[in-house]
Amino acid sequence: MSDNNSLNALIEGLRRLPGVGVKSASRMAFHLLQHDRAGAQLLAQALQQATTQIRHCTRCHTFTEKEVCDTCTDPRRDAAKLCVVETPADQAALERTAAYQGLYFVLMGKLSPLDGIGPKDIGLSKLFERATDGVVQEVILATNFTAEGEATAHVIAEALKARGLKVTRLARGVPAGSELEYVDLGTIAHALVDRR
Amino acid sequence: MSDNNSLNALIEGLRRLPGVGVKSASRMAFHLLQHDRAGAQLLAQALQQATTQIRHCTRCHTFTEKEVCDTCTDPRRDAAKLCVVETPADQAALERTAAYQGLYFVLMGKLSPLDGIGPKDIGLSKLFERATDGVVQEVILATNFTAEGEATAHVIAEALKARGLKVTRLARGVPAGSELEYVDLGTIAHALVDRR
Ligand SMILES: [Zn+2]
Ligand SMILES: [Zn+2]
């Protein structure tokens, strides 16, 4: 396929997607060209549109097409609560529960020294400034319960507690619907410690 | 993220890729927007370019940007041999071996009655016309060794043998480098039958 520069460029382009190797990229390119050129055109337009229109909310850092996102400008939100999450997907998961009415700060990442991701990359000074504006009364840490998420939560908690703020963390425990027999030991141990 | 139509459109666009569900699509969108906007732009351009430039070779049906592809017009190729493959990726795999100097016919699919893919969809009448042009002496069936690939090979073989052509099939057998202990029974049985 030496005369197929467009095809090679498409395969290279698809490889920029996370988790897509050269085999998957070839399979995707074949599928689009053979069965879904309309989908390929839609995707091209969506990529173009997204990269030019989407920026970060100046208040909470999540993706938005506006200067300040709809959540941040919603007057029904409780501005005394600020929930810290790693990504917009985590924020969306919390929103789906409809159990939280406060505002958010989206780190757009997590502290990860091995990957060279430090406090600046996740906007911690911005977060500290926001959390100490006098309006926020409680910061709820909802970073993931992974090693990096926990470390990130720890760093934020220490800094904000030193500034006299109330800092809480999502409860760890047994997932709803689980049978104890099949839950891992660490989770049960945490659920015991955090019992109410 | 109700104000984020561009983001939702991007996630929907990425879901057009085979094997990509809503979770993968969200993860891909996040990665591109947060870490690789240049990659997103490249991919958008590659998709646009590919969908407008790439068509099918009028001789062999493979993807090409020309009327007739470079392989079909290469005078060093042995026009007496015609190798039938399912996809351009299979063709590329054969080309990498450098063990074949003939020409190709790319089905761009395989017979698959359950998916409604019949002889017309894989250009069988075009193949039969091409194979009986008086130049082709041998048709080598290199469809995959799956149920559908075997069925496709069988249908083509019967039709071409009826037209008096020499039809061969890639040999089945034990893969190079394998230990018999770990090779499945069906493969060993075929290798015994096809022993030379
Ligand atoms: Zn916001
Ligand atoms: Zn060709």
Side-chain angles (χ1 to χ4, degrees), chain A residues 28 40 66 73 95 116 127 168 174 195:
Chain A
M28 288 172 171
K66 302 176 177 173
T73 51
E95 285 294 288
L127 166 61
T168 57
V174 180
R195 70 186 182 279

Side-chain angles (χ1 to χ4, degrees), chain A residues 1-7 9-10 13-14 16-18 20 27-28 30-34 36-44 46-56 63-66 69-70 87-88 92 108-109, chain B residues 1-7 9-10 13-14 16-18 20 27-28 30-34 36-44 46-56 63-66 69-70 87-88 92 108-109:
Chain A
M1 297 187 283
S2 56
D3 58 324
N4 233 325
N5 294 328
S6 298
L7 181 58
L10 177 55
L14 289 164
R16 298 293 280 258
L17 298 171
V20 175
R27 197 163 40 83
M28 288 172 171
F30 178 79
H31 173 83
L32 291 176
L33 290 169
Q34 187 67 8
D36 194 15
R37 291 197 182 212
Q41 299 258 9
L42 271 180
L43 177 54
L47 285 160
Q48 197 58 49
Q49 176 88 357
T51 49
T52 52
Q53 297 301 313
I54 295 177
R55 45 182 165 162
H56 294 286
F63 291 133
T64 179
E65 291 167 49
K66 302 176 177 173
C69 76
D70 283 356
T87 67
M108 290 289 172
Chain B
M1 297 188 284
S2 55
D3 58 326
N4 234 325
N5 294 325
S6 298
L7 181 58
L10 177 56
L14 288 164
R16 299 293 280 256
L17 298 170
V20 176
R27 198 164 39 85
M28 288 172 171
F30 178 79
H31 174 83
L32 291 175
L33 290 170
Q34 187 66 7
D36 194 16
R37 291 197 182 214
Q41 299 258 7
L42 271 179
L43 177 53
L47 285 161
Q48 198 56 49
Q49 176 88 357
T51 48
T52 52
Q53 297 302 312
I54 296 177
R55 45 181 167 164
H56 294 287
F63 290 133
T64 179
E65 291 167 50
K66 301 175 178 173
C69 76
D70 283 357
T87 67
M108 290 288 172

Side-chain angles (χ1 to χ4, degrees), chain B residues 4-181:
Chain B
N4 234 325
N5 294 325
S6 298
L7 181 58
N8 294 333
L10 177 56
I11 292 170
E12 280 311 301
L14 288 164
R15 289 190 64 186
R16 299 293 280 256
L17 298 170
V20 176
V22 66
K23 284 221 168 178
S24 302
S26 302
R27 198 164 39 85
M28 288 172 171
F30 178 79
H31 174 83
L32 291 175
L33 290 170
Q34 187 66 7
H35 303 294
D36 194 16
R37 291 197 182 214
Q41 299 258 7
L42 271 179
L43 177 53
Q45 285 154 23
L47 285 161
Q48 198 56 49
Q49 176 88 357
T51 48
T52 52
Q53 297 302 312
I54 296 177
R55 45 181 167 164
H56 294 287
C57 171
T58 53
R59 290 276 291 160
C60 73
H61 283 189
T62 200
F63 290 133
T64 179
E65 291 167 50
K66 301 175 178 173
E67 170 87 9
V68 179
C69 76
D70 283 357
T71 306
C72 283
T73 50
D74 185 345
R76 293 162 302 178
R77 290 277 173 170
D78 178 1
K81 291 193 175 66
L82 187 67
C83 182
V84 178
V85 293
E86 292 180 19
T87 67
D90 297 332
Q91 179 184 10
L94 281 161
E95 284 295 287
R96 279 195 294 273
T97 68
Y100 179 68
Q101 301 301 324
L103 294 175
Y104 290 93
F105 190 92
V106 186
L107 299 171
M108 290 288 172
K110 53 190 178 284
L111 289 177
S112 182
L114 289 177
D115 301 318
I117 299 172
K120 264 187 193 169
D121 302 295
I122 59 173
L124 286 197
S125 59
K126 183 84 182 295
L127 167 61
F128 297 159
E129 194 182 300
R130 170 89 187 272
T132 54
D133 64 357
V135 179
V136 174
Q137 301 297 316
E138 178 184 359
V139 174
I140 300 152
L141 300 175
T143 54
N144 288 320
F145 286 82
T146 58
E148 288 169 337
E150 293 278 22
T152 305
H154 180 76
V155 167
I156 297 170
E158 292 303 301
L160 292 180
K161 280 177 191 162
R163 287 165 170 82
L165 266 160
K166 181 181 177 190
V167 180
T168 57
R169 178 87 170 105
L170 286 194
R172 289 173 299 199
V174 179
S178 303
E179 294 179 70
L180 281 185
E181 186 178 351

